[in-house]
Amino acid sequence: MTNPVLGDRSRPGVAPAGPTGLTVPKGTIDMRKYVAAAGSALLVALLAGCAGAGSGGPQQNDDPVTPEAPTCGTEPVVLNAYFETGFDLPFRLSEEFSRQFPNVTWDIKQDQFQNLINATPRLLSGNNPPDLIRLPTMVSLVQDGLLKNLDGYAEGFGWDKWPPAQLSQNRVADDGTRGSGSLYAMGLNYSLTGVFYNKELAARVGMTEPPKTVAEFDAVLERAKAQGILPIMVWNASASGGGLAFPLQHLMAAYGPTQPINDWIFQKPGATIDTPTNRQAAEHLQRWIEAGYFPPDANAIQYTDANARFRNGEGLFIFNGDWENASYDEGMPGNVGFFLFPPLKEGDPVAAMSSPLTFGIAANAANAGCAAFFFNWVATNEQARQINVTVGGSNPGGPADLPIPSVAPGSVTNETLAAGALVAESNGAMDFIANATGAIFAQGWTPELQKMVGGQQDGAGLLAAVQAEYERELEQGS
């Protein structure tokens, strides 16, 4: 995505420049991005990745919890942070935070999500652990005592009085399951996924309104292909992770209920991704691939490249999240729309992936109190909340009585926020299947989806292979 603050990320291997006054070297983690990342009611939703059962419940890495509401003081503070490459929001928030609190400066490193999956344990256990870090996974980090328990801050700042669903996804219970227990992370916002479309190309293929069923969506894809228009832009390169997981999960929710998907992501006992309805969804995705509805070079396309190509008019649709709203509004003003992926039968409940943009604090962070103050500021400060909506395109969360900041007329954010309310009404929020374990995205979904693109895997085999990898990782506590 192109942004005047972060530069052009459409060029692979080029480190984006950070906001003025921030140190943002190119990520030097020597291992191998998934996006992660809604209407106000979508706070029932789900991004912090889930890790294996490992050694059991969380280790106690803090003193007994007491209410705390610290500030950053007035003395110089340098917040040590790790952000995810490709997302402007944390950089813009950190820039505004330093504007309001000039004694706070930032030492920011960044890397792609896929790399962070591998590197986060090492970073958190190092001699200079980050005060703030984007969390690609969470449970195993809690079990190993690497994340700070935030319960004291939650009570001190009053986070425990916010709508409970905002925090539930970042809670870890004594048995190592997510959804209850102590708080170990916070969301910078709460995102929503769906289908973005190029309005000019939609008009060319006769799409006058969003499809109401999967069959209608299929018909639009067929018309686009017949007219020489790429039906769906996608990324599926290893460096960014298998973006085909986005349309796959939307198809899963169209063919079957969302609860079994969330159970699998949250590692409920006996949960499996290899269900009859999910096999139908995977076979449907396979038909799209075989019909040529995705770019032939999908396995070589990174996330930033896919977005750049979509903004430049390549592709009628792209499955993505509201974190791209600002870049789409800027890159194709007035020419981008959004809708929720439709159900099989018109009028059936709709569903979407939704989650907090999850950050944590290292258990031994030098500036944990200031980092917690930053979390509170992001959710409650008027300017920060406006940045969240304008740049992040997502609901900022926070106290229930705070209004959602204004959105510019014509911005696609109006459509994503409205869509979030529909998902909430149907209780259709899902976490991301890429987050079920610490390595399932890199070791399961991405290689198997790449094989499907290459004609070496089918729908049934895809799910069987991913389920086997999932069980292997749970056995190893990964």
Side-chain angles (χ1 to χ4, degrees), residues 7-96:
D8 182 5
R9 293 195 181 89
S10 65
R11 295 170 292 163
V14 177
T20 302
L22 305 182
T23 302
V24 189
K26 182 177 179 179
T28 57
I29 301 172
D30 56 354
M31 292 174 266
R32 300 175 323 254
K33 159 174 168 191
Y34 186 37
V35 302
S40 59
L42 265 194
L43 302 175
V44 299
L46 314 151
L47 179 29
C50 193
S55 58
Q59 293 184 8
Q60 296 300 316
N61 55 26
D62 291 285
D63 295 329
V65 172
T66 56
E68 292 184 77
T71 69
C72 292
T74 58
E75 296 298 315
V77 175
V78 179
L79 284 176
N80 176 20
Y82 270 82
F83 292 167
E84 179 183 356
T85 300
F87 291 84
D88 295 356
L89 178 65
F91 295 92
R92 296 288 292 272
L93 288 171
S94 59
E95 185 179 50
E96 175 62 22

Side-chain angles (χ1 to χ4, degrees), residues 141-474:
L141 303 175
V142 172
Q143 292 170 334
D144 293 339
L146 297 177
L147 286 178
K148 187 169 184 63
N149 185 316
L150 306 183
D151 285 349
Y153 299 135
E155 186 173 350
F157 284 113
W159 302 341
D160 52 356
K161 297 180 176 61
W162 297 357
Q166 287 191 42
L167 308 182
S168 63
Q169 192 176 339
N170 291 326
R171 294 186 180 278
V172 179
D174 290 341
D175 63 359
T177 59
R178 286 167 54 202
S180 63
S182 290
L183 184 70
Y184 287 93
M186 288 291 285
L188 297 192
N189 64 16
Y190 301 83
S191 62
L192 174 75
T193 64
V195 186
F196 292 88
Y197 66 97
N198 183 307
K199 292 182 177 180
E200 292 178 2
L201 297 182
R204 282 174 53 185
V205 301
M207 193 187 97
T208 58
E209 62 180 359
K212 296 183 176 64
T213 65
V214 174
E216 289 185 9
F217 188 82
D218 281 343
V220 176
L221 298 179
E222 186 176 357
R223 293 200 302 270
K225 179 69 174 178
Q227 295 187 33
I229 296 171
L230 177 68
I232 308 173
M233 175 53 66
V234 75
W235 65 97
N236 210 51
S238 296
S240 297
L244 282 170
F246 270 57
L248 173 60
Q249 188 168 351
H250 281 286
L251 283 164
M252 288 178 176
Y255 273 96
T258 58
Q259 190 57 53
I261 300 172
N262 284 329
D263 287 347
W264 184 78
I265 296 166
F266 284 166
Q267 300 178 4
K268 300 295 184 183
T272 180
I273 200 67
D274 190 5
T275 66
T277 57
N278 286 348
R279 284 195 292 273
Q280 289 178 287
E283 289 164 358
H284 202 128
L285 178 69
Q286 183 182 355
R287 291 196 296 272
W288 283 357
I289 293 171
E290 293 171 347
Y293 291 162
F294 298 104
D297 59 340
N299 284 348
I301 300 176
Q302 295 194 37
Y303 178 76
T304 50
D305 295 326
N307 284 295
R309 288 166 66 167
F310 179 71
R311 290 194 307 266
N312 290 332
E314 186 178 354
L316 169 58
F317 299 123
I318 188 169
F319 286 77
N320 212 332
D322 53 11
W323 51 83
E324 286 297 335
N325 287 2
S327 76
Y328 291 160
D329 278 340
E330 179 184 358
M332 44 197 305
N335 191 35
V336 61
F338 175 89
F339 59 86
L340 296 168
F341 189 70
L344 281 181
K345 181 182 178 181
E346 183 175 349
D348 278 359
V350 291
M353 292 93 86
S354 177
S355 65
L357 180 62
T358 304
F359 278 72
I361 301 173
N364 297 318
N367 300 297
C370 185
F373 178 75
F374 174 77
F375 283 151
N376 190 69
W377 172 86
V378 166
T380 60
N381 179 266
E382 182 178 359
Q383 287 81 9
R385 290 172 64 83
Q386 186 66 62
I387 290 171
N388 236 318
V389 170
T390 303
V391 177
S394 301
N395 191 301
D401 59 352
L402 290 183
I404 300 296
S406 62
V407 180
S411 169
V412 73
T413 298
N414 292 289
E415 297 174 47
T416 58
L417 290 176
L422 298 177
V423 174
E425 289 173 11
S426 63
N427 194 29
M430 301 174 286
D431 197 350
F432 292 79
I433 55 175
N435 295 335
T437 70
I440 198 65
F441 191 49
Q443 303 299 325
W445 290 117
T446 296
E448 298 305 324
L449 287 167
Q450 289 177 335
K451 290 177 185 177
M452 183 175 279
V453 171
Q456 300 174 350
Q457 185 58 283
D458 59 18
L462 166 73
L463 297 181
V466 170
Q467 180 65 23
E469 173 63 22
Y470 174 85
E471 294 174 1
R472 185 190 68 80
E473 293 181 22
L474 292 187

